[in-house]
Amino acid sequence: MPLSLGSFTVVDTETTDADPATCRVVEAGAAVFRGGYLSHDASQCVNPGVPMHPDAARITGICDAALAHAPKLAGASIVKMFRDPQLVGYNSEAFDRPVLERELPELLRRPWLDVFVFVSWHLRHLPKRNLCALAEHLKIPMGAAHG
């Protein structure tokens, strides 16, 4: 079944720093699609249990004080949205997937579709292939984003 006709959940994270081997999730977002249409989406801040790196705080605008009373990731309500059998991300093989699998191994040991793989090949002429550059190329408004 084509992905556009099926069900899938797009996942994104913000983390305490840029090292996928050691960082912790501070915000998780998910957008659930059914039959090619957005069904619902949400994001939630979570308490990583460790301080934010100053660079990550500057880039994301998320500070330690904002996370102090947030739930831990394992107990966060957004985790329910990650139960979809097909997870999708952008550069998820290098970042989001290993981070989430480290923090939620019982939940996320399943196949992911990393859109960056497609973009790296089919849009290889683009000088930059980060998500902001892709959105600009496709004329999709990004709103507030880093990247």
Side-chain angles (χ1 to χ4, degrees):
M1 172 184 310
L3 190 60
S4 64
L5 298 178
S7 299
F8 59 95
T9 299
V10 179
V11 175
D12 189 33
T13 62
E14 300 298 340
T15 59
T16 55
D17 63 71
D19 183 351
T22 60
C23 69
R24 302 292 304 270
V25 174
V26 297
E27 184 178 25
V32 178
F33 289 81
R34 302 285 181 250
Y37 295 96
L38 178 64
S39 170
H40 57 284
D41 63 347
S43 66
Q44 184 176 14
C45 285
V46 296
N47 187 330
V50 298
M52 291 284 290
H53 187 281
D55 290 340
R58 180 182 48 76
I59 291 168
T60 64
I62 301 170
C63 64
D64 292 327
L67 303 171
H69 300 291
K72 299 287 187 190
L73 180 60
S77 60
I78 193 151
V79 171
K80 293 182 290 190
M81 294 174 73
F82 298 162
R83 292 197 172 116
D84 207 304
Q86 181 63 65
L87 299 174
V88 177
Y90 195 82
N91 199 31
S92 55
E93 285 300 314
F95 198 81
D96 299 279
R97 182 179 184 173
V99 171
L100 286 168
E101 285 184 346
R102 183 170 35 80
E103 292 204 38
L104 301 168
E106 73 287 351
L107 187 60
L108 294 174
R109 297 265 182 225
R110 61 176 55 113
W112 283 61
L113 173 64
D114 188 345
V115 178
F116 184 72
V117 174
F118 171 86
V119 169
S120 294
W121 176 254
H122 292 284
L123 298 176
R124 60 188 173 275
H125 64 280
L126 295 178
K128 288 185 172 181
R129 291 181 207 88
N130 64 37
L131 194 53
C132 289
L134 176 63
E136 182 178 328
H137 173 75
L138 298 174
K139 299 179 180 18
I140 298 171
M142 283 285 289
H146 64 86

